Amino acid sequence: MCETLIGGQGRITPLFPAIRYHGSHWISSFGGSSTGQSFSTISRKSEKKKHHRRNIIVIFLIAIALLAALAMIVGISIFVTKEKALLRAHISLIIDNKEFHDALKNTTSEEFQSIAKPLCNEMHKYFLTSELTSYFVTCNVIKMVDVDGKVGVFFDLDFLKNSQTDSKKTIEDIIIKKSGRLVKNDKLYLVIRDFLVYVKSLKITLETFYVPGPVELPDRDKYLTKVEWSTWSECSKTCGLGIQKRTRNCTEFDIKNHLCDGDEYDEQACQHNPCPALLRAHSSLIIDNEEFNDVLKDNSSDEFHSIAKPLCYIMYRYFLSSDLASHFVKCDVINMININGKVGIFFNLDFLKNSPIDTEKIVEDIIKKKSPKVVKTDKLYYLIRDFLVNIKSINITLEMAYVPGTVELPDKHKYLTKVEWSTWSTCSSSCGEGIQKRIRYCSDFDIQHHLCDGNELKVQACKSDPCPVDGKWTEWNHWEKCSMSCGKGVKKRKRECTNPSPSFGGQNCIGVHIDNDKCQERDCPIDGMWSEWISWTDCSGSCGGGRKERSRSCSNPSPQYGGRTCVGDIITSSICNDQPCPVDGSWSEWNAWTDCSLSCDGGITTRQRTCSNPEPTFGGKECNGNVEESDKCGVEFCPVDGGWTEWTTWSGCSMSCGIGSQDRMRTCNDPEPKYGGQNCTGNNLDFKNCDSIPCPIDGQWAGWSEWTDCSLTCGIGKTERNRTCSDPKPQNGGSSCTGSDDEVKICNIISCPSM
C-alpha cells in the first residue's frame, strides 16, 4: 500500500506537498524548496516539533490504509450482488370467449385475479414437470384486452439466462403439449380451458433483462401437490344405517406426476340413533259428493290440498282434545280416488307406540263423535262435513312405522286457538259518518272448549274524511275598458271559483277564469300604400325595338278616415325587343323517290327536302312540314301462317278430395292463317291429374288392454284398462273416436288382517 502512496522519486503524493523524504531524513518544503542542511538546523532547534510531525504522518498513513480496505470491501460486495440475466418470454393468446369481457375492466379486480392466478398456477405445473424445471422462475399475467370481439391475454414467463430456451419453439411446445391436463369437473376448468386448449392464436417473443441479487426458483412442492379428497357428505339417513360419500378429480396430468392414484369416488357407512317406532292407523272413508271429482286428478294440486289440509287440521283438533292428546303425532292425507261414483279418501294417523290404542275402535269412535263439531257457516265446512258427518263407510287398520329423526308432538295451542274476529269491514260511507262490521264463526266444538263465547257479529261507528266539495264560479264582473283607443282592441271580464271554493279533495271549477271579447271605439286613420306593380304589357314591336308599360294603384291599403294618399308615379314604361327581326325558313325542292322497301305486303318508298330556301335566322321560324315523306308500294299480300294463343288457366279439379283431372285449351288465331299460310300444328286441348287434399278418415277404437294389477292387496283397491283410437287413427280431418279411453273398477274389497 505504501508503494501506491509514495512516488518513484522518494516523495509523498501531493496530498502533503509541504513534506518530502530525502535520504534518511524527512525535510520540509513549506513555501518552496529547501535543502537537507536547513531541515537539520531546524530539527536541532526543536526536537519537539519534529516528533509532532512524525505522529501526523503516521496517522495519515493509517487513514489511507483504512480507506483502501473499505474500497476493497465495497468492490467485493458489488461483485457478489452483481445483476442476474433472465430470459423473458412475452406470450399473447387470442381466445373467443365472451365470459372474460368483465375481467378486462381492471387488472386489480377480483374477476381479473380469478382468471390470472389459476392460469399462472397451470404454467408453473407445466414447466416444473418439463425439461426446463431447473430454469423456470415465474409467471405473471399482464393484461387482458378486447381484440375485435375476442379476448387477448398477455402474460410473461421468466427463465434463467443459461437455460435452453434460446428458441420460442421450446416454450410453445410445452404449453401446447401440457394443455388440457386440468381438472375436467372443476368450474374453473371451463374458464382456463379456453386459454390453454381452444387457443385461436399463440405468439411468443423473447427478450433479455437483468434483476438485482440472487434469483429464487419456485418451490416445486407448492404447485405439484397431492389431489385432496372433498369433505365427507352428510349421511344419507338421519336415523338408522346410511352412507356418506366423498370425491376428487384426478386428471391425466395428476396421475402421470403421481399426484393421484386414480380413484375419484369413496364411500363409507354411517349410523345414527335407531329410528323411532310409531303406531300408524291407515284410515279410509267412502263419501258421496261429486264436488270432489276434480280433486281426484292430482294429489299435488292446489284443489287437493285445499281439502286435505283442513281435513287434517280438524283431525289435530279432535285428537288433541281427546284422551289421546299426549300420544297423537300427526295426520297425512294420502290419496283421493273415484270408487263407483263415490269418493274414497285415504289418510294416516300416527301415534306414539306406547299409546293405549290397542284397537281400531278407539280411533273410529273419536272421529265419529267429534265430526259434527266443525264450523257450520264456513264454506269449507260443506266440503269437510261430507268427510266427517255423512260417512258411508270407515275402515281403519294399524301397522308399525319407523320415522327418521326424533318425533315431535304437535303444539296443542297451535290448533286449539281462540276463534279470531275477522278484520273490520270497510266503512259503509266513503266520506263522512258510516258503520263497519266484523264477524267470527263459533262452532259447538269451539264453545265446548272455551275457544269462543258465541258472539258472531260486532258493529261500530266509523268516520272518514269530510266529503269533497266541488268548486263553483261566481257571476262575471263588468267588462273592462277596451285595450285600444281607435281600431280593433280587446276587452276582458273575470270571475272567481269561490262560490263555494273547492275543499276536501273536491274538483276545481271547469272553464276559464278570464273572458275576452273584441271591441272598437272608432276607426283609426289609414295612409294609402302602393300595390305591387302589375305585369308588363306586351311589347309594341316584336323586333327592332318597341315599348312596354306597367302600372300600380294606391290600394294597399287605400287612404281612409283622413289618411294620406300615395306619393309617386302610377305608370312606368321601358324599351323592349330591340333585337333584329327574325327571318323564317323555307323548303327546297323534293329529292327523287327511293326504291320500294318490300316486294309484297306493302313496302315503303321515301323522298326528302331541306329548310334552306332560305334558312331561318335571328330566331325565325323553322320550316313547317316534314323533312321526309313516304308512300306505299308493293301492295300484294304475303302468306300468313296460323299461331296458337296462350293456354287458358287449368280448370278446377273434378274431385273435391282424392285424385281427379283438370283441362285447359288454346285456339289457332294468334294470328289466323291467311293468304295461303299454314294452319297451327298440335292439340288445342290438354289434360292432367290433380290431387287436391286427402279424403278424411274417421278414427276407430283398438281393442281394450288387459286389466292392471290391483293397487291394493287388501282393503279397497282399483284396477284399470285402456284403449287407443288407432284402428285406424283419425286422419285428414276425420272424426275422432267417441267414448272414454280408460275404465276403472274396484278390486280386492276385503278387509286387511288386523295386527
Side-chain angles (χ1 to χ4, degrees):
M1 185 187 299
C2 291
E3 292 177 356
T4 61
L5 297 176
I6 301 173
Q9 301 298 322
R11 58 186 177 87
I12 301 297
T13 56
L15 289 172
F16 285 88
I19 302 174
R20 293 187 299 154
Y21 183 79
H22 183 75
S24 60
H25 304 285
W26 291 98
I27 62 174
S28 175
S29 58
F30 291 105
S33 179
S34 301
T35 62
Q37 184 179 0
S38 299
F39 184 77
S40 298
T41 303
I42 295 171
S43 295
R44 284 193 295 268
K45 291 181 178 180
S46 182
E47 289 293 333
K48 187 175 181 178
K49 290 183 179 180
K50 177 180 178 182
H51 180 72
H52 180 67
R53 290 187 180 118
R54 286 178 179 173
N55 289 340
I56 291 175
I57 293 172
V58 171
I59 291 171
F60 173 74
L61 293 175
I62 292 172
I64 294 299
L66 291 174
L67 289 173
L70 180 61
M72 291 178 64
I73 293 172
V74 172
I76 293 171
S77 176
I78 293 173
F79 177 76
V80 171
T81 59
K82 183 180 179 182
E83 292 182 333
K84 296 294 184 182
L86 296 182
L87 191 65
R88 175 162 291 171
H90 301 288
I91 299 178
S92 63
L93 303 177
I94 303 298
I95 63 170
D96 188 3
N97 193 322
K98 295 180 180 178
E99 294 183 24
F100 300 119
H101 282 187
D102 288 341
L104 306 181
K105 298 175 182 176
N106 184 3
T107 56
T108 62
S109 67
E110 293 182 1
E111 293 89 345
F112 179 89
Q113 296 298 331
S114 68
I115 299 174
K117 187 174 180 181
L119 173 60
C120 271
N121 282 344
E122 292 304 315
M123 289 299 155
H124 276 81
K125 293 174 73 173
Y126 293 174
F127 285 95
L128 290 176
T129 56
S130 72
E131 63 269 24
L132 298 178
T133 181
S134 58
Y135 302 105
F136 180 66
V137 177
T138 188
C139 164
N140 284 302
V141 177
I142 307 303
K143 63 180 178 179
M144 302 180 194
V145 297
D146 190 293
V147 181
D148 296 331
K150 297 179 174 60
V151 180
V153 185
F154 300 87
F155 60 99
D156 291 344
L157 301 175
D158 292 347
F159 302 86
L160 296 178
K161 186 64 175 71
N162 59 346
S163 63
Q164 300 301 315
T165 56
D166 297 330
S167 170
K168 293 179 279 188
K169 187 65 176 172
T170 307
I171 300 172
E172 183 176 342
D173 288 346
I174 290 174
I175 293 176
I176 294 177
K177 182 175 68 175
K178 296 287 187 178
S179 62
R181 306 295 189 243
L182 300 169
V183 178
K184 294 296 191 297
N185 297 327
D186 187 359
K187 182 180 179 181
L188 186 60
Y189 165 73
L190 301 176
V191 177
I192 306 303
R193 178 186 62 186
D194 288 319
F195 286 110
L196 306 179
V197 179
Y198 301 120
V199 176
K200 301 298 180 185
S201 67
L202 172 63
K203 183 179 180 182
I204 300 175
T205 57
L206 301 179
E207 73 166 344
T208 300
F209 72 104
Y210 297 89
V211 296
V215 175
E216 292 187 8
L217 296 179
D219 183 5
R220 180 186 177 95
D221 295 333
K222 176 182 177 181
Y223 298 97
L224 301 177
T225 57
K226 291 285 187 180
V227 178
E228 297 293 335
W229 287 101
S230 66
T231 57
W232 287 104
S233 66
E234 294 183 359
C235 193
S236 60
K237 295 184 178 180
T238 57
C239 67
L241 183 63
I243 61 170
Q244 53 186 171
K245 305 173 183 178
R246 63 178 183 176
T247 60
R248 62 179 177 181
N249 297 315
C250 297
T251 67
E252 297 175 17
F253 180 91
D254 298 325
I255 296 172
K256 180 179 178 181
N257 290 279
H258 308 293
L259 304 178
C260 184
D261 58 11
D263 294 332
E264 298 189 347
Y265 175 82
D266 190 17
E267 67 177 36
Q268 66 179 12
C270 52
Q271 187 172 12
H272 295 287
N273 297 327
C275 296
L278 297 179
L279 190 65
R280 178 162 292 166
H282 298 288
S283 305
S284 62
L285 304 177
I286 304 297
I287 65 170
D288 188 3
N289 193 321
E290 295 179 355
E291 293 184 30
F292 299 116
N293 283 347
D294 290 340
V295 180
L296 307 182
K297 297 176 182 176
D298 182 9
N299 61 12
S300 64
S301 66
D302 291 339
E303 293 88 347
F304 178 88
H305 289 289
S306 68
I307 297 175
K309 188 175 181 179
L311 173 60
C312 270
Y313 180 83
I314 297 298
M315 290 297 168
Y316 276 101
R317 302 184 77 187
Y318 290 174
F319 285 96
L320 291 176
S321 61
S322 71
D323 50 358
L324 294 178
S326 60
H327 302 285
F328 181 66
V329 177
K330 70 172 182 176
C331 164
D332 283 312
V333 177
I334 306 303
N335 202 0
M336 299 184 192
I337 61 173
N338 188 313
I339 302 176
N340 295 331
K342 297 180 174 59
V343 181
I345 301 96
F346 301 88
F347 59 98
N348 291 335
L349 302 173
D350 290 350
F351 303 86
L352 295 178
K353 183 64 177 69
N354 58 349
S355 61
I357 51 174
D358 298 329
T359 174
E360 300 93 331
K361 187 65 176 172
I362 298 176
V363 178
E364 183 177 339
D365 288 345
I366 290 175
I367 295 176
K368 287 186 175 181
K369 183 174 67 175
K370 298 283 186 177
S371 59
K373 310 305 182 191
V374 294
V375 179
K376 294 298 195 310
T377 54
D378 188 358
K379 181 180 179 181
L380 187 60
Y381 163 74
Y382 295 102
L383 300 179
I384 305 303
R385 181 184 62 186
D386 288 321
F387 286 112
L388 307 179
V389 180
N390 300 323
I391 298 173
K392 301 300 180 184
S393 67
I394 182 169
N395 185 30
I396 298 175
T397 58
L398 303 180
E399 72 165 353
M400 291 289 292
Y402 295 91
V403 296
T406 58
V407 175
E408 293 185 5
L409 295 179
D411 182 6
K412 183 174 183 177
H413 300 294
K414 176 181 177 181
Y415 299 95
L416 300 178
T417 57
K418 290 283 186 181
V419 178
E420 297 291 336
W421 287 99
S422 67
T423 56
W424 286 104
S425 66
T426 56
C427 195
S428 60
S429 177
S430 60
C431 63
E433 295 185 354
I435 62 170
Q436 56 184 169
K437 304 175 183 179
R438 65 176 182 178
I439 59 175
R440 64 178 177 181
Y441 300 112
C442 298
S443 67
D444 296 341
F445 181 92
D446 298 323
I447 297 173
Q448 179 184 353
H449 290 86
H450 308 292
L451 304 177
C452 184
D453 59 10
N455 296 327
E456 298 188 346
L457 175 66
K458 280 189 178 181
V459 179
Q460 70 176 12
C462 54
K463 188 173 183 180
S464 304
D465 295 332
C467 293
V469 177
D470 296 337
K472 291 186 179 180
W473 292 111
T474 62
E475 295 294 328
W476 288 103
N477 295 339
H478 295 294
W479 288 104
E480 297 176 357
K481 188 177 180 180
C482 190
S483 62
M484 301 294 291
S485 60
C486 68
K488 295 180 180 179
V490 175
K491 61 182 180 179
K492 299 181 180 179
R493 63 177 179 174
K494 298 181 180 179
R495 60 180 177 175
E496 303 295 334
C497 186
T498 58
N499 188 33
S501 298
S503 58
F504 308 117
Q507 294 183 350
N508 215 330
C509 297
I510 299 174
V512 295
H513 167 56
I514 298 175
D515 186 21
N516 298 324
D517 196 9
K518 297 177 181 178
C519 57
Q520 185 173 358
E521 299 292 336
R522 62 185 180 85
D523 293 322
C524 295
I526 300 173
D527 294 335
M529 298 290 290
W530 290 114
S531 66
E532 294 293 329
W533 290 102
I534 64 174
S535 301
W536 290 101
T537 62
D538 293 335
C539 193
S540 60
S542 60
C543 61
R547 296 196 69 81
K548 60 181 179 179
E549 295 180 348
R550 63 177 180 175
S551 63
R552 58 181 176 176
S553 63
C554 187
S555 59
N556 188 32
S558 299
Q560 299 179 54
Y561 314 119
R564 294 191 299 269
T565 190
C566 301
V567 178
D569 296 329
I570 296 177
I571 299 174
T572 184
S573 63
S574 176
I575 297 173
C576 56
N577 294 341
D578 54 356
Q579 75 276 7
C581 291
V583 177
D584 295 338
S586 182
W587 291 112
S588 66
E589 294 295 326
W590 286 103
N591 294 340
W593 288 101
T594 62
D595 294 335
C596 190
S597 62
L598 293 174
S599 60
C600 68
D601 217 11
I604 297 294
T605 180
T606 62
R607 64 178 180 175
Q608 296 178 339
R609 60 181 176 175
T610 61
C611 186
S612 59
N613 187 29
E615 292 182 357
T617 57
F618 306 119
K621 296 180 180 179
E622 291 286 340
C623 298
N624 187 21
N626 297 322
V627 175
E628 182 179 274
E629 70 176 3
S630 60
D631 196 9
K632 294 181 180 180
C633 57
V635 295
E636 297 83 2
F637 291 113
C638 296
V640 177
D641 295 335
W644 289 112
T645 61
E646 294 293 327
W647 288 103
T648 62
T649 56
W650 289 102
S651 66
C653 194
S654 62
M655 301 292 289
S656 61
C657 68
I659 299 175
S661 64
Q662 294 175 283
D663 60 64
R664 62 178 181 176
M665 63 181 297
R666 58 181 178 177
T667 57
C668 185
N669 60 2
D670 189 25
E672 294 181 358
K674 293 180 179 179
Y675 313 121
Q678 295 182 353
N679 211 336
C680 300
T681 59
N683 297 321
N684 66 336
L685 290 177
D686 189 17
F687 300 91
K688 71 172 183 178
N689 292 334
C690 54
D691 185 3
S692 54
I693 57 172
C695 293
I697 300 174
D698 295 336
Q700 297 290 331
W701 290 112
W704 288 99
S705 67
E706 296 296 329
W707 289 100
T708 62
D709 294 336
C710 192
S711 62
L712 296 174
T713 57
C714 63
I716 300 176
K718 68 173 184 177
T719 179
E720 56 187 9
R721 65 177 182 175
N722 55 56
R723 60 181 177 176
T724 60
C725 186
S726 60
D727 188 25
K729 293 182 179 179
Q731 300 179 42
N732 309 323
S735 300
S736 189
C737 302
T738 59
S740 177
D741 63 350
D742 63 354
E743 287 186 350
V744 179
K745 68 179 182 179
I746 295 176
C747 55
N748 292 341
I749 310 179
I750 58 174
S751 299
C752 295
S754 60
M755 295 184 62

